[in-house]
Amino acid sequence: MMGISLGWGWLLLPVCQALVVPREVSGRAGERLSLHCWYPRGYEDYNKYWCEGASWHSCRKVVETAGREAPQQHGWVSIQDSHIFCVVLLTVQNLSEADAGSYWCGIERTGRDLMEPVTVRVFPG
């Protein structure tokens, strides 16, 4: 009998029920840094963004999706949304020590945005 066996692998896939991000990511100066922000189903067409700052209410948007799946870029930072997998991919090219700090992965919505913090650490190249 032939078929596809999922085994326990499905447990590794995030369930689209909450905004899920790594609490901390790190990389070396000069290299590329990537991270995923998983979001709840139902937010596919919402604007997702990456903002910088210690506080959620005063962070500065670095790059945003404008609700589209097409990659968006601002300087060295790019963002791409995959509606089918409920995930946003953030990439920083040519990471520098100045990129270290507090960031937020966010979803713009009426009322308070859905936001989760991420600390970026950069080691010398």
Side-chain angles (χ1 to χ4, degrees):
M1 175 180 207
M2 296 196 59
I4 298 174
S5 173
L6 294 177
W8 292 100
W10 64 273
L11 288 173
L12 299 175
L13 296 174
V15 177
C16 294
Q17 293 181 355
L19 189 57
V20 178
V21 300
R23 291 287 178 219
E24 184 176 301
V25 293
S26 60
R28 294 205 175 281
E31 294 181 354
R32 182 176 77 180
L33 178 73
S34 295
L35 70 109
H36 293 88
C37 295
W38 302 92
Y39 59 84
R41 198 145 307 278
Y43 287 96
E44 291 85 351
D45 294 325
Y46 286 64
N47 185 43
K48 284 79 167 192
Y49 58 87
W50 179 243
C51 68
E52 180 180 13
S55 174
W56 63 267
H57 63 280
S58 64
C59 69
R60 177 188 58 83
K61 286 184 185 174
V62 176
V63 66
E64 56 190 310
T65 66
R68 297 185 299 260
E69 285 190 290
Q72 303 294 313
Q73 188 158 348
H74 185 266
W76 299 106
V77 183
S78 66
I79 189 169
Q80 184 168 9
D81 189 0
S82 172
H83 293 172
I84 195 164
F85 294 112
C86 298
V87 65
V88 172
L89 172 63
L90 292 152
T91 305
V92 180
Q93 299 289 343
N94 196 23
L95 192 63
S96 76
E97 291 183 37
D99 294 320
S102 299
Y103 292 84
W104 299 80
C105 185
I107 300 175
E108 205 170 87
R109 65 179 187 166
T110 304
R112 185 172 171 215
D113 291 357
L114 285 178
M115 298 175 74
E116 286 295 329
V118 179
T119 299
V120 174
R121 300 206 188 284
V122 181
F123 301 106

